[in-house]
Amino acid sequence: MVRITTRKNVRILLLGDRGVGKTSLILSLVSEEFPDDVPAKAEEITIPADVTPEMVPTFIVDYSAAEQTDDQLLEEIRKAHVICLVYSVDDERTLMRITTHWLPLLRDAIPHSRCPIILVGNKEDLIEDTTVDAAQEIMEEYPEIESFVECSAKSLKNISEMFYYAQKAVLHPIAPIYIADKQDLTEGCKIALTRIFRVCDLDNDGFLNDEELNEFQKRCFDLPLRKKAMEEVKEIIRRHITGGVSHNNCITLKGFLYLHCLFVQRGRSHTTWTVLRKFGYNDHLDLSKDYRFPQVKVPRGSSTELSHRGAEFFKRLFNKYDKDKDGALSEVELAEMFKICPRVWGTNIQNIVPTNAKEWITQQGFLCFWTLTTVSDLQKTFEYLAYFGYPINECENQLSAIQVTREKKLDLLKKQSTRNVYQCHVIGTKGVGKSTVCRRLIDHTFERIKKDTSGIPQKTINMVTVYGQEKYLIMKDIEVGNVMDPLEPSDLKCDVVCLVYDTVNPKSFEYVARIYLKYFDDGKIPVLFVCNKSDLIPEIRQDYLVTPSAFCDAHNLAPPHRHTCTDVGTKEIYHKLATMAAFPHLTELSLLSSDSILWKAGLGIAFVAAIGLVVSKLMKHESILNTIFYSFSFEDLDTADFSFINT
């Protein structure tokens, strides 16, 4: 649940000289009649959330100089969210004391606070004149005063309005969003509204057309915008500024900002705050922590992946900024995307995910990046879903964009993984080509890999097809100094292990064999031995007790996979690793490499997919039936044509 307001309650403190009517104002509000007997101080009043316009509980606190000390006064001032500073309109001395005593006292007590103040002139029923001019002069000198109201506790005039203004000053404060002297929005407010404008500009053309305006209206106010009202809004913008409405009758960013400036100037700051809070902003115009990071529990042994909704959102985001529709995001297009949030990746992205010949990230690479981020740093995915405008409201947040997989032990029990993302840890001694194995997953040529001398351990991700289903495979190069150095617990958290040795280093197999015996001999994680550089020379004898083939046979493993990184387009190793991750129980069988076993596994997947297709078609027809049925009124039943059922 995401709350529209960031306050859990509102605390209103009434201050002013003795006899100005503070207590009477409180009692008149509560009882809706003027009290005959007024005590020196009213007890703290609690107004339940369900009887306030903003659905926020409100506490009203009285002050009495006769009953409270100066220390108690200062404590109440610091606890208050808003202060109603009361004077009597028929006593000029109480008005003068507002500037000579009370406002200086508040500035000293809370020097760095943005606690708003409501200036209240009580006993309006006793005079025929008004103190508006005097109040206006005070407000110009003291910008912390947000509004002014004249009222009467006796006649009940403007009592409810006074407390509404106080509540509004807390929930929809003016100071963070508007500069009265300049009659303009604050810079922070402009930045926030600019981000909102860009999020709502679904086709990324720099304008809000009628369809986008309607979606914005529904998201913020839960109601569509009538065509007439839409044109009236545009006409208001046209009358007051040039360039607010484009030649094709769309609202520009300039017009959007002006509209919100006009809301504030006309006393409708709550409209702008509703928009800001629907898009996650708190009172300081930062995206709130609750909005960016929803709570989620990931059981031990489970992982996190993008759901179908999450993947579709990132696809739409990619297409929105791929202006030239070339299937990749250029630096200019990326800069446009990251105008609304900090840049999420550095210059090394082309060595992690698929890119095109210009090293621009492709749509597949874009999905791979967010898939990898969701697995390794879920909070970052949540945060950027919020930045990019994933539809978050009171009923839904980013949790619908991800899915938590079932626990790994259940995959082993069921003899099949339900995951769509598999992590493969690549282990081997230095020089055997681990990084090359990782980089070939994203189709980097051997020549390109050789030019990269950074020596940084590689992590790559790409899509791999496992019997007709698209899965994601993450290859991570695990750095181990020597076989005596222990692996970290995180190094053992994966779905499949690739142990690499090569044909030119006779000591390389002993290294991975000892790693296997020490960490993976229990069979909980599938393991594939890979003989790398198999194209260089005939395989030399490894300096170990038994041959690699005999070792694998003895431990009920598939024979070593012969691999070369110079073959363009070779994907066999990655398909095999992904299949092993999908069917972890097969690692216990010596027949892992048998085509018949894998064929049966593939047949099982194909059968499940076929059943899923039938079910989805049935659900689709059911949805059509429901849509048509509920579109009929009961009067239509006699004349309705149900022949579509036969089709």
Side-chain angles (χ1 to χ4, degrees):
M1 294 287 287
V2 179
R3 292 178 62 90
I4 299 306
T5 56
T6 56
R7 289 280 184 184
K8 294 181 179 179
N9 55 65
V10 175
R11 190 174 182 85
I12 303 172
L13 173 64
L14 273 69
L15 295 180
D17 289 346
R18 185 180 301 179
V20 296
K22 303 184 298 296
T23 306
S24 297
L25 286 168
I26 296 173
L27 297 178
S28 293
L29 174 74
V30 174
S31 63
E32 296 185 349
E33 62 181 8
F34 186 69
D36 295 327
D37 186 18
V38 181
K41 177 179 178 293
E43 295 297 322
E44 182 176 313
I45 301 296
T46 300
I47 301 178
D50 57 358
V51 298
T52 64
E54 299 292 341
M55 298 299 291
V56 176
T58 301
F59 306 101
I60 302 176
V61 182
D62 194 8
Y63 163 71
S64 172
E67 295 191 4
Q68 291 174 283
T69 65
D70 289 344
D71 288 341
Q72 287 175 320
L73 171 61
L74 291 176
E75 183 182 356
E76 288 295 352
I77 289 173
R78 294 184 182 118
K79 286 162 56 178
H81 298 145
V82 58
I83 295 170
C84 290
L85 208 48
V86 185
Y87 68 91
S88 177
V89 296
D90 70 333
D91 187 347
E92 190 174 341
R93 289 173 303 174
T94 62
L95 178 60
M96 290 180 61
R97 289 259 298 166
I98 294 293
T99 54
T100 60
H101 174 71
W102 289 107
L103 285 169
L105 172 67
L106 293 176
R107 282 189 169 181
D108 289 340
I110 43 177
H112 305 297
S113 174
R114 282 186 170 185
C115 182
I117 296 172
I118 308 299
L119 188 58
V120 180
N122 190 26
K123 304 185 181 181
E124 188 251 10
D125 60 292
L126 297 180
I127 63 171
E128 294 182 0
D129 204 356
T130 180
T131 58
V132 170
D133 292 340
Q136 186 65 40
E137 291 179 8
I138 296 174
M139 292 177 70
E140 290 176 0
E141 185 178 352
Y142 293 88
E144 58 263 48
I145 300 176
E146 293 224 347
S147 57
F148 161 71
V149 59
E150 282 188 339
C151 59
S152 169
K154 188 172 184 179
S155 68
L156 305 184
K157 182 177 179 180
N158 289 341
I159 299 296
S160 297
E161 285 78 0
M162 181 194 95
F163 288 102
Y164 170 71
Y165 290 148
Q167 190 182 58
K168 179 181 172 184
V170 177
L171 301 177
H172 312 123
I174 300 294
I177 63 174
Y178 188 73
I179 306 171
D181 292 346
K182 297 182 179 179
Q183 294 188 325
D184 196 10
L185 299 174
T186 62
E187 193 60 31
C189 185
K190 288 180 181 178
I191 291 172
L193 289 173
T194 298
R195 171 185 161 264
I196 292 170
F197 180 91
R198 294 184 187 280
V199 167
C200 295
D201 179 14
L202 301 177
D203 57 8
N204 197 29
D205 64 350
F207 309 110
L208 293 185
N209 58 37
D210 288 358
E211 183 180 346
E212 291 163 342
L213 278 172
N214 211 26
E215 288 300 315
F216 165 79
Q217 174 78 8
K218 287 191 289 186
R219 178 164 179 170
C220 294
F221 305 103
D222 302 319
L223 289 170
L225 194 61
R226 291 180 294 106
K227 184 70 175 177
K228 183 179 179 181
M230 202 178 294
E231 293 306 319
E232 288 174 352
V233 167
K234 294 175 187 177
E235 188 55 37
I236 290 171
I237 297 173
R238 284 193 187 95
R239 284 204 309 265
H240 289 86
I241 59 167
T242 57
V245 179
S246 67
H247 64 279
N248 56 348
N249 201 33
C250 298
I251 292 180
T252 65
L253 175 59
K254 184 178 180 181
F256 187 73
L257 295 177
Y258 173 77
L259 199 58
H260 285 279
C261 187
L262 199 60
F263 286 147
V264 180
Q265 290 171 349
R266 295 186 177 180
R268 294 181 57 188
S269 61
H270 60 279
T271 301
T272 297
W273 273 115
T274 298
V275 171
L276 290 168
R277 287 184 174 130
K278 282 287 188 176
F279 283 86
Y281 288 96
N282 59 23
D283 289 352
H284 305 293
L285 295 180
D286 299 317
L287 284 185
S288 67
K289 187 176 180 180
D290 289 345
Y291 188 84
R292 289 181 294 145
F293 305 116
Q295 296 296 313
V296 61
K297 184 176 181 180
V298 181
R300 184 181 179 87
S302 296
S303 62
T304 50
E305 304 175 355
L306 286 178
S307 67
H308 176 73
R309 287 193 62 180
E312 287 300 309
F313 175 81
F314 281 117
K315 284 181 184 178
R316 290 195 301 270
L317 183 69
F318 181 93
N319 292 332
K320 173 179 177 177
Y321 289 97
D322 182 18
K323 281 195 168 183
D324 56 10
K325 305 305 175 188
D326 64 346
L329 295 180
S330 67
E331 278 301 314
V332 173
E333 290 166 337
L334 280 176
E336 183 73 16
M337 175 185 290
F338 289 118
K339 277 184 179 180
I340 60 176
C341 60
R343 184 150 181 164
V344 70
W345 62 65
T347 56
N348 196 42
I349 188 68
Q350 71 276 4
N351 291 336
I352 300 174
V353 302
T355 57
N356 67 5
K358 298 178 181 178
E359 297 192 351
W360 295 349
I361 190 168
T362 61
Q363 185 184 81
Q364 182 171 321
F366 193 68
L367 289 174
C368 284
F369 175 82
W370 290 111
T371 298
L372 176 62
T373 304
T374 304
V375 170
S376 59
D377 190 352
L378 178 60
Q379 296 302 305
K380 181 174 284 187
T381 296
F382 281 160
E383 184 175 24
Y384 277 82
L385 283 167
Y387 278 138
F388 288 131
Y390 188 81
I392 301 170
N393 52 51
E394 288 87 346
C395 302
E396 182 180 344
N397 57 26
Q398 300 97 307
L399 293 181
S400 64
I402 66 110
Q403 58 190 22
V404 178
T405 66
R406 73 184 182 191
E407 296 180 54
K408 190 73 175 291
K409 61 184 179 182
L410 291 177
D411 284 347
L412 291 171
L413 187 64
K414 299 288 186 179
K415 297 185 178 182
Q416 183 176 341
S417 173
T418 59
R419 303 183 182 195
N420 294 309
V421 184
Y422 304 127
Q423 298 191 62
C424 174
H425 286 181
V426 184
I427 303 173
T429 191
K430 290 184 177 180
V432 296
K434 302 190 302 296
S435 294
T436 307
V437 170
C438 292
R439 292 273 287 278
R440 288 295 294 124
L441 176 66
I442 54 175
D443 296 319
H444 284 192
T445 63
F446 184 64
E447 289 70 23
R448 175 177 175 175
I449 300 169
K450 284 197 300 183
K451 293 178 182 178
D452 183 5
T453 58
S454 62
I456 300 174
Q458 295 292 316
K459 180 187 281 189
T460 57
I461 178 173
N462 206 348
M463 290 182 183
V464 177
T465 302
V466 178
Y467 292 102
Q469 294 187 326
E470 286 187 346
K471 306 289 184 178
Y472 289 90
L473 182 64
I474 300 170
M475 302 287 286
K476 183 180 180 181
D477 179 358
I478 303 296
E479 282 291 289
V480 184
N482 59 67
V483 76
M484 301 303 294
D485 293 337
L487 291 177
E488 298 293 330
S490 59
D491 297 334
L492 303 177
K493 292 181 179 179
C494 57
D495 300 295
V496 62
V497 173
C498 179
L499 296 178
V500 183
Y501 67 100
D502 70 30
T503 59
V504 296
N505 182 352
K507 297 286 186 180
S508 60
F509 180 76
E510 179 184 10
Y511 180 92
V512 289
R514 291 182 181 275
I515 289 286
Y516 174 81
L517 293 172
K518 187 174 182 180
Y519 295 104
F520 304 111
D521 193 26
D522 58 7
K524 291 182 179 179
I525 302 175
V527 174
L528 180 67
F529 279 88
V530 173
C531 178
N532 201 22
K533 307 177 186 178
S534 60
D535 59 312
L536 297 182
I537 57 174
E539 184 175 351
I540 64 173
R541 180 180 176 82
Q542 290 291 322
D543 190 5
Y544 192 59
L545 298 173
V546 296
T547 65
S549 296
F551 181 91
C552 291
D553 187 55
H555 291 88
N556 209 23
L557 299 173
H561 178 89
R562 295 182 62 80
H563 179 69
T564 171
C565 292
T566 57
D567 289 345
V568 177
T570 177
K571 292 289 185 180
E572 183 184 354
I573 183 175
Y574 308 112
H575 290 297
K576 186 175 286 189
L577 288 166
T579 302
M580 292 171 67
F583 299 94
H585 69 291
L586 292 183
T587 187
E588 301 169 5
L589 304 174
S590 60
L591 297 176
L592 174 62
S593 60
S594 168
D595 291 338
S596 63
I597 293 292
L598 296 182
W599 182 83
K600 290 177 182 178
L603 187 62
I605 293 179
F607 177 74
V608 171
I611 292 296
L613 182 61
V614 171
V615 171
S616 67
K617 286 184 176 181
L618 288 174
M619 290 177 66
K620 183 178 179 183
H621 283 299
E622 182 182 359
S623 174
I624 293 171
L625 290 172
N626 287 339
T627 301
I628 297 174
F629 177 79
Y630 287 112
S631 67
F632 284 128
S633 65
F634 286 110
E635 289 78 11
D636 293 328
L637 291 177
D638 290 336
T639 58
D641 177 11
F642 291 99
S643 61
F644 64 88
I645 294 178
N646 296 326
T647 61

